[in-house]
């Protein structure tokens, strides 16, 4: 079908998010999104109530991208936590500036409830007492979000460059003294499963 000249651009939530997600939260305004979509701000307001709802939609999309595909098991809980740490990092890096907003802004959020439940279960399977596993989730998620916030800070350039793999090792090493069985303790001390891809292959630089 031929579009007539001057016909208003057609909006959809997919198009709105495609424009909103790459923008830094500080530059994410209704006017900026409308201009990039080549529509009047009034047209955008028919889809999105205000800037706060727009930020909520971006946060919800971030949460969707960070959902785990599988649940951890007694056999793979540690590998699952390692892989999910990388997935969480990559999801956060796709939306510039949002990590710092999650830590300190009104959209403070560390993932959908099902993600939190899966991470808590993984730590529980690793030997963390049930009453403390929730705290392990908060440390795990906050550390990863803080890491990405530091990565995206142009003024933070330590030398040598921090190694994300070390952060993950530190986060998981805390499971060892909390009642793991002998086999689990051995896996923690020995590091990653040799059958798994090395960390370098998993990183997105």
């Amino acid at each position: 079908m031929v579009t007539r000249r001057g016909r208003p651009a057609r909006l959809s939530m997919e198009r709105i998010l495609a424009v909103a997600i790459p923008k830094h939260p500080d530059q994410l305004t209704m006017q900026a999104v409308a201009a990039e979509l080549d529509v009047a701000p009034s047209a955008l307001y028919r889809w999105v109530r205000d800037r706060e709802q727009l930020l909520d939609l971006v946060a919800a999309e971030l949460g969707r991208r960070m959902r785990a595909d599988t649940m951890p098991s007694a056999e793979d809980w540690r590998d699952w936590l390692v892989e999910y740490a990388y997935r969480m990092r990559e999801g956060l890096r796709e939306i510039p500036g949002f990590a710092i907003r999650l830590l300190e802004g009104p959209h403070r959020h560390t993932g959908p409830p099902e993600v939190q439940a899966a991470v808590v279960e993984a730590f529980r399977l690793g030997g963390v007492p049930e009453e403390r596993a929730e705290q392990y989730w908060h440390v795990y998620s906050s550390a990863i979000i803080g890491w990405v916030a530091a990565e995206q800070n142009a003024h933070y350039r330590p030398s040598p460059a921090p190694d994300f793999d070390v952060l993950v090792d530190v986060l998981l090493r805390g499971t060892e003294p909390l009642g793991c069985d002998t086999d689990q303790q051995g896996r923690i001390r020995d590091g990653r499963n040799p059958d798994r891809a090395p960390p370098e292959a998993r990183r997105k630089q």
Side-chain angles (χ1 to χ4, degrees), residues 105-195:
H107 298 272
R108 187 170 183 174
H109 178 66
T110 52
E114 58 267 31
V115 169
Q116 179 172 342
V119 173
V120 167
E121 175 65 6
F123 278 117
R124 191 190 65 77
L125 290 167
V128 177
E130 192 164 349
E131 65 274 11
R132 297 197 63 179
E134 200 85 16
Q135 288 298 317
Y136 273 64
W137 150 255
H138 290 303
V139 171
Y140 174 92
S141 59
S142 297
I144 296 168
I145 293 171
W147 184 281
V148 175
E151 283 184 321
Q152 295 179 343
N153 183 343
H155 302 291
Y156 181 73
R157 290 293 179 266
S159 180
D163 186 340
F164 186 73
D165 201 51
V166 173
L167 173 69
V168 177
D169 279 345
V170 169
L171 290 173
L172 300 190
R173 203 167 294 277
T175 59
E176 184 173 352
L178 295 176
C180 298
D181 61 38
T182 303
D183 178 64
Q184 289 170 335
Q185 289 181 11
R187 279 190 283 154
I188 293 170
R189 283 194 297 270
D190 294 341
R192 291 164 194 76
N193 186 333
D195 295 329

Side-chain angles (χ1 to χ4, degrees), residues 2 5 14 18 29-30 46 93-94 114 137 149 159 169:
V2 177
R5 187 177 181 83
E14 291 75 15
T29 65
M30 297 289 281
R46 296 191 188 102
R93 292 170 87 182
E94 289 177 4
E114 58 267 31
W137 150 255
S159 180
D169 279 345

Side-chain angles (χ1 to χ4, degrees), residues 8-9 11 16 29-35 37-50:
L11 280 180
I16 292 169
T29 65
M30 297 289 281
Q31 290 74 18
V33 173
L37 289 168
D38 195 25
V39 299
S42 58
L44 184 59
Y45 279 105
R46 296 191 188 102
W47 288 82
V48 183
R49 182 178 62 252
D50 52 25

